Amino acid sequence: MRVIILEDYESISAWTARYVADTIQAFAPAQDRPFVLGLPTGSSPMGTYKNLISYVKEGTLSFQNVVTFNMDEYVGLSGDHPQSFRYFMQEHFFKHIDIQPKNTHIPNGKATDLTAECLAYEQAIRQAGGIRLFLGGVGTDGHIAFNEPGSSLTSRTRIKTLTTDTVLANARFFDNNVELVPKTAITVGVGTIMDADQVVLVISGASKAKALQQAVEGAISHWWTVTALQMHPKAILVCDNDAASMLRPETIAYFKDIEKLGR
């Protein structure tokens, strides 16, 4: 595991966007060999998306040959609902870059057969050649995607009941009315994320400090699903000082030292 500790949210967003862009460019995607990118929604990736959009507008990055798979979607919301993740991605990222709409994949929360939708989503990822880089965030309780505490660390795309904490945290997107927040979602599994060649998480703010501490220093546990990344061969946690505030001083010194040495 690699841990990048930077000053603030703007710094980690800029670092992450540069890393994603460099990884895509090094792969040199083509029409018959696209780069497959996993994406999240929420506040954590917003700064990264803004930087990536800037690269596209400058002409230094293209998504023409990039295929994307999002982590999750609320059950019961159509893609044109203002709080659906399809709508979020379209408004905050896809419509600002040169990606082909046919190359963007998000679970269908209105599917008549949700189990079949989950199986088809896993199959689509496999048919695309697997995810090269999965970008993500982490919840205050350590969940990745909607893999809430207690989720199997080998789980695949499935329907998941959301915890009360997650519903309360997301109420801010629904006029602070918890009754409006969907209580279930389709989510990729921990195993789905672990299959990616690389996983990069953006972790910002003091509210995420305990989750980061568990991810780096805690034991691997399904109660903190982010800890599964300790077993990933190429996981990068990009965090700011506030998020790193609960790490032991020697842990911080270690990761800063190896970055200086040009790991």
Side-chain angles (χ1 to χ4, degrees):
M1 178 181 286
R2 185 179 177 189
V3 179
I4 309 295
I5 304 171
L6 300 172
E7 181 68 24
D8 51 26
Y9 178 73
E10 289 71 25
S11 300
I12 64 176
S13 297
W15 191 99
T16 304
R18 185 70 267 162
Y19 186 86
V20 171
D22 288 348
T23 303
I24 293 172
Q25 290 168 329
F27 185 80
Q31 186 172 353
D32 60 348
R33 185 175 172 268
F35 186 91
V36 184
L37 178 65
L39 295 174
T41 55
S43 56
S44 294
M46 285 293 290
T48 300
Y49 289 157
K50 287 178 181 177
N51 280 279
L52 290 172
I53 290 167
S54 295
Y55 295 151
V56 173
K57 291 185 181 298
E58 293 166 2
T60 58
L61 177 66
S62 174
F63 283 83
Q64 272 288 319
N65 295 312
V66 174
V67 172
T68 65
F69 286 89
N70 264 74
M71 286 185 160
D72 38 33
E73 178 60 281
Y74 287 121
V75 168
L77 297 191
S78 61
D80 59 358
H81 189 287
Q83 298 308 328
S84 74
F85 294 154
R86 164 63 73 178
Y87 188 92
F88 176 98
M89 292 303 300
Q90 186 63 27
E91 290 299 305
H92 295 290
F93 193 45
F94 293 152
K95 78 177 186 181
H96 303 286
I97 60 176
D98 60 344
I99 197 165
Q100 300 182 63
K102 68 177 182 179
N103 287 342
T104 64
H105 300 85
I106 298 176
N108 179 9
K110 293 282 284 184
T112 54
D113 187 336
L114 293 172
T115 299
E117 174 68 12
C118 295
L119 293 172
Y121 205 68
E122 286 280 336
Q123 180 63 21
I125 292 173
R126 288 193 294 270
Q127 289 179 338
I131 293 173
R132 300 284 176 176
L133 187 156
F134 224 134
L135 179 65
V138 63
T140 56
D141 59 4
H143 72 257
I144 48 176
F146 272 135
N147 293 288
E148 304 281 33
S151 297
S152 168
L153 300 186
T154 61
S155 56
R156 314 304 303 191
T157 300
R158 68 208 186 285
I159 305 160
K160 196 77 178 73
T161 300
L162 307 183
T163 65
T164 299
D165 285 346
T166 296
V167 171
L168 290 172
N170 290 344
R172 67 188 189 276
F173 302 117
F174 292 83
D175 297 325
N176 291 311
N177 186 345
V178 295
E179 298 303 319
L180 298 179
V181 184
K183 305 307 186 289
T184 56
I186 296 176
T187 181
V188 297
V190 180
T192 314
I193 296 169
M194 293 290 287
D195 280 349
D197 292 350
Q198 298 186 58
V199 180
V200 179
L201 298 189
V202 178
I203 308 174
S204 174
S207 66
K208 305 294 180 69
K210 182 63 175 178
L212 179 64
Q213 185 271 330
Q214 288 291 318
V216 177
E217 299 176 342
I220 296 170
S221 169
H222 61 197
W223 291 112
W224 296 85
T225 53
V226 68
T227 60
L229 293 181
Q230 294 177 23
M231 299 182 290
H232 196 283
K234 198 164 186 180
I236 305 177
L237 309 185
V238 192
C239 60
D240 58 20
N241 286 331
D242 286 343
S245 61
M246 291 184 68
L247 293 176
R248 294 177 298 175
E250 55 266 38
T251 299
I252 294 173
Y254 168 77
F255 283 112
K256 287 191 172 183
D257 182 59
I258 58 176
E259 289 304 318
K260 287 179 183 177
L261 295 175
R263 181 188 183 197

